[in-house]
Amino acid sequence: MSGSTPPPDVAGEPQRGRTGWRWPLVVVLALACLTVLVLMPWTPVETEPDLTETGTTAEPTVEPSTPASPVAQPGSDAAFDATTAPALFVTAADLVAGVPAAEPGVDAQITAGQLPWGLPAGSTIDPAECTIAATVVATPPPWYDALMWGNEALAFEQEVVLLPDPATAREAFRSLVTTVDACPEYSQVNLGVDGGTWVTEPAIEGQGVYPSIVQEVTQSAEGTEVPGYRGHLLVGNTVVTWTAEALEAGDREAALATLGDPTTLSALVQDRAQSAVRSLG
């Protein structure tokens, strides 16, 4: 059959062109795909592991560093006894070499075992909280001794207090330094006898291997003032105390000059302490 009208379909409707019916379908499919794409949750592309997930954290491997152990201070654990502690006392030769006032020579004024620890019977320190500024420790130590060297211009006294162990000595030294700082002036009160009064300048830290302090001190007794220096040193299980007094009358500064520099005096005691530690082996 000829003509331009296509033959009717089965239902009697004229047949559509081959492309005419496809356009609505394409539009519907396109809209459906667009809807799916809009509604579909987006998943990011992972190029590295997720660091927030438990068990999958990717941390760089770091080797733990070992902190450097503190260097033990030479002699800080030294353990002296009644046999070895006397090595901490300076000698007459040490004084002659290091103290101007000792150059003519010095003699023993107090010898080993002559001076007991503590205050004389019936004596007290006023104020009482300053007592260990005079006695070094609060209770009788396991061992104690004192020596004094001197001449007409110099009195050099040294005390050694032996404690049970270095830890006890450190605690005693800490209490001593605290007391010294808090007691710029104190007096010894005796029964029926004039006592002495000590007026001190603020302590400075001594230079050397072992913890130490040194301060300027003026002792007044029976109307006489004697200037000098006092120091305290911690070495192992001992506390070493020394006092250098200028006995020449006259100008205070000139008298102190005969003792030399306080740091030099402290160094002299430090050197003797180092020698004593080395002798322990």
Side-chain angles (χ1 to χ4, degrees), residues 69-272:
S69 300
V71 178
Q73 189 178 58
S76 61
D77 59 350
F80 291 92
D81 56 27
T83 301
T84 56
L88 291 163
F89 288 106
V90 301
T91 66
D94 293 333
L95 292 172
V96 170
V99 183
E103 287 180 1
V106 290
D107 299 315
Q109 306 292 322
I110 296 175
T111 57
Q114 186 176 354
L115 186 67
W117 171 85
L119 300 172
S123 296
T124 58
I125 295 296
D126 181 30
E129 57 267 24
C130 296
T131 298
I132 66 171
T135 63
V136 181
V137 289
T139 58
W143 183 89
Y144 165 88
D145 207 353
L147 296 178
M148 179 185 285
W149 297 98
N151 57 28
E152 293 182 354
L154 169 71
F156 187 93
E157 182 179 350
Q158 188 175 357
E159 303 171 74
V160 175
V161 173
L162 181 69
L163 282 307
D165 51 64
T168 304
R170 285 192 293 271
E171 185 59 35
F173 186 75
R174 186 179 300 111
S175 297
L176 175 61
V177 171
T178 300
T179 301
V180 166
D181 287 342
C183 294
E185 182 175 351
Y186 56 92
S187 301
Q188 181 175 322
V189 180
N190 304 318
L191 293 177
V193 180
D194 289 340
T197 298
W198 291 265
V199 177
T200 67
E201 297 297 322
I204 61 173
E205 185 175 351
Q207 301 299 312
V209 175
Y210 310 113
S212 63
I213 59 171
V214 60
Q215 60 186 154
E216 186 177 324
V217 178
T218 301
Q219 180 183 5
S220 301
E222 299 180 351
T224 302
E225 291 188 351
V226 179
Y229 299 107
R230 177 179 295 162
H232 303 282
L233 171 77
L234 170 67
V235 52
N237 62 329
T238 70
V239 176
V240 179
T241 296
W242 57 269
T243 303
E245 294 180 326
L247 304 182
E248 288 188 344
D251 179 77
R252 176 184 179 83
E253 294 304 318
L256 287 174
T258 67
L259 302 178
D261 188 86
T263 57
T264 301
L265 289 167
S266 180
L268 185 151
V269 180
Q270 287 265 355
D271 290 345
R272 176 52 55 183

Side-chain angles (χ1 to χ4, degrees), residues 16-31:
R16 295 173 179 167
R18 292 183 178 271
T19 60
W21 65 274
R22 293 177 181 176
W23 283 109
L25 180 60
V26 171
V27 172
V28 170
L29 290 175
L31 290 175

